[in-house]
Structure formats: C-alpha cells, structure tokens
Amino acid sequence: MTVRELYAYLNEKIPRSLSCDWDNDGLMCCPLPDATVKKGLIALDVTAEVVKQAIHGGYDVILSHHPLIFSPLRAVEPSDHVARKVIDLVRAGIAVMSFHTRLDAVSGGVNDALAEALGIENIEVFGENGETIGRVGTLETPITLADFADRVKQATGADAVQVSDAGKPVFRVAVLGGSGSGDVRAASAAGADTYVSGRIGYNVMAEAPEMGLN
C-alpha cells in the first residue's frame, strides 16, 4: 500500500478524535504520499539515531509513539534539531506517522496493555477534563505495595520504581502511561488506592499519601 493508504488505515484504527487537545500527532512528515510502503520502522521517539537508521536501512516510513513535531517549527533550517531531522527525512523520501495520546486512549492501546501486564481486571476508563486516557480496575486479590512494586518492575523491565506509600494494600489500581501528574486527582476520584504512571512530579509524589493514594 502507499503512504497515504497506510495512514488512512491507521487513522481509522487509531482515530484522531482520541487525541488530547494539547497533543500534536498524526502524519508528521510526508514527502511522497503515493510512494509504496515496503519497510516500516517502529520507534518510541524519532531521534536523530532513528532517522539515521531509517535512511541507511532503506525504510519507507517511521511509526512512532511520541511526535516528531510537537511544538510548531518557526523555520525549516538545519540549526534547529527537529527541522534538521525533517530535512533529512524529506531528502530521503521517508514518511513519519506519530500516534501519541490517541494510542494511549484507544481500546487495546498503551494503557490497556499496561493494565493487562499488571494483572488488572474489570477495567474502566478514567481521565481529566473528559480525556479518558487512563485505565482503572482491580487485582484478583489485594497485595502489599512492596509486592506490587516488584510486579511493576517485572512487567515493565524497569530496574527500579519510585514509590509513595499511603499505608494501604493495593487492590484498585489506576494506570496512565507517560507523564501522569495531571491525572492524579482523577485517579483518586475513580476510586483507586494505587496509581501507576511513567513519570510523576515530586510534589505529587509527596502529597499522594495525604490523598490516600499509593
């Protein structure tokens, strides 16, 4: 299929309507919309190294989670590191498609996969300001916070996890991949006793026990 057809297919499966208002995802770079796609490279971020790999590996498209272009480009010239990547990609005829918060929110996406990996059942959606990106549900049986922290490490391959202890067992768990500080109150409102996210700021971690939240 062509670049245009691939994006149309993915856009149907992972619709833009699921993206947060502040997000910028979708078709980031498309120098040749009617080019045939034979090789695709999947990456978390479109780093300079990923761009280099795509060029030297003869890839036609990069599919990423985090957007190649998040803030508007004021100019397309090589002194800017993002613009430099765009220039290299256009020269090589390589398209970039980024599916960020919509991939977090879509059924079967990032947060459903995270919830499943942690053994969470009876899953429901939650979120702030109508953006139902997160997932919340229950474990089969309550476990200690220390045991749950070990489970998170094993499920994610993390060397360590940062823990804030509210002094209660873990049973109803909310998860939100990425930076989840802004949704901690929504997780608490959803009845969670424990909240798991990729990155939570110091103040939120310090105050979480006062909210009754691990």
Side-chain angles (χ1 to χ4, degrees), residues 60-79:
D60 307 296
V61 62
I62 299 171
L63 301 173
S64 75
H65 183 45
H66 295 138
L68 165 64
I69 302 170
F70 186 72
S71 301
L73 292 175
R74 295 186 179 275
V76 182
E77 49 87 21
S79 67

Side-chain angles (χ1 to χ4, degrees), residues 63-105:
L63 301 173
S64 75
H65 183 45
H66 295 138
L68 165 64
I69 302 170
F70 186 72
S71 301
L73 292 175
R74 295 186 179 275
V76 182
E77 49 87 21
S79 67
D80 179 87
H81 70 287
V82 176
R84 187 163 59 245
K85 290 186 285 190
V86 172
I87 291 169
D88 290 342
L89 289 162
V90 169
R91 281 176 172 165
I94 299 171
V96 176
M97 303 172 192
S98 302
F99 298 92
H100 189 207
T101 51
R102 62 167 111 175
L103 188 61
D104 292 326

Side-chain angles (χ1 to χ4, degrees), residues 20 111 124-137 172-176 179-197 200 204 208 211-214:
C20 292
N111 287 314
E124 305 168 14
V125 299
F126 84 92
E128 192 76 17
N129 300 320
E131 295 175 345
T132 51
I133 296 178
R135 298 295 188 267
V136 61
R172 185 165 172 83
V173 181
V175 299
L176 182 69
S179 183
S181 291
D183 285 82
V184 65
R185 293 188 184 278
S188 181
D193 53 61
T194 304
Y195 181 41
V196 180
S197 189
I200 300 177
V204 175
M211 299 171 62
L213 196 64
N214 297 316

Side-chain angles (χ1 to χ4, degrees), residues 198-213:
R199 183 178 63 213
I200 300 177
Y202 172 81
N203 288 344
V204 175
M205 290 291 287
E207 294 170 5
E210 299 174 12
M211 299 171 62
L213 196 64

Side-chain angles (χ1 to χ4, degrees), residues 14-91:
I14 318 169
R16 185 136 203 183
S17 60
L18 295 174
S19 297
C20 292
D21 292 339
W22 51 263
D23 199 6
N24 183 54
D25 62 2
L27 193 56
M28 303 273 101
C29 177
C30 186
L32 300 169
D34 294 315
T36 300
V37 176
K38 295 179 180 178
K39 292 180 70 177
L41 182 62
I42 297 174
L44 179 64
D45 298 287
V46 187
T47 63
E49 186 61 32
V50 166
V51 171
K52 182 178 178 181
Q53 183 180 350
I55 293 171
H56 292 309
Y59 289 89
D60 307 296
V61 62
I62 299 171
L63 301 173
S64 75
H65 183 45
H66 295 138
L68 165 64
I69 302 170
F70 186 72
S71 301
L73 292 175
R74 295 186 179 275
V76 182
E77 49 87 21
S79 67
D80 179 87
H81 70 287
V82 176
R84 187 163 59 245
K85 290 186 285 190
V86 172
I87 291 169
D88 290 342
L89 289 162
V90 169
R91 281 176 172 165

